[in-house]
């Protein structure tokens, strides 16, 4: 199964509390912090909701 590397790239200040909660739910702690998750529809959906705050890349 492939993985996704999600990196927090932009501050969540000024954005909705739900978007901040999504960032935390993805396991991101601070700007430029990266996490790897399995490539599932749930994780893809969460990354899509905060796509303006993170970068997503596929990892083998």
């Amino acid at each position: 199964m492939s993985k996704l590397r999600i990196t927090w790239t932009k501050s969540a200040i000024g954005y909705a509390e739900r978007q901040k909660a999504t960032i935390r739910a993805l396991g991101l702690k601070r700007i430029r912090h990266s996490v790897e998750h399995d490539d599932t529809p749930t994780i893809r959906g969460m990354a899509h909701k905060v796509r303006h705050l993170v970068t997503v890349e596929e990892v083998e």
Side-chain angles (χ1 to χ4, degrees), residues 3-44:
K3 295 207 171 251
L4 295 176
R5 180 178 295 134
I6 303 170
T7 305
W8 190 1
T9 56
K10 185 179 176 190
S11 175
I13 294 173
Y15 289 96
E17 190 60 39
R18 291 185 69 177
Q19 292 177 6
K20 294 175 188 178
T22 302
I23 292 285
R24 285 192 300 270
L26 284 168
L28 296 167
K29 304 291 185 189
R30 61 194 169 280
I31 303 269
R32 291 194 216 115
H33 183 226
S34 295
V35 292
E36 286 189 9
H37 288 287
D38 290 332
D39 188 2
T40 62
T42 303
I43 297 298
R44 284 225 178 232

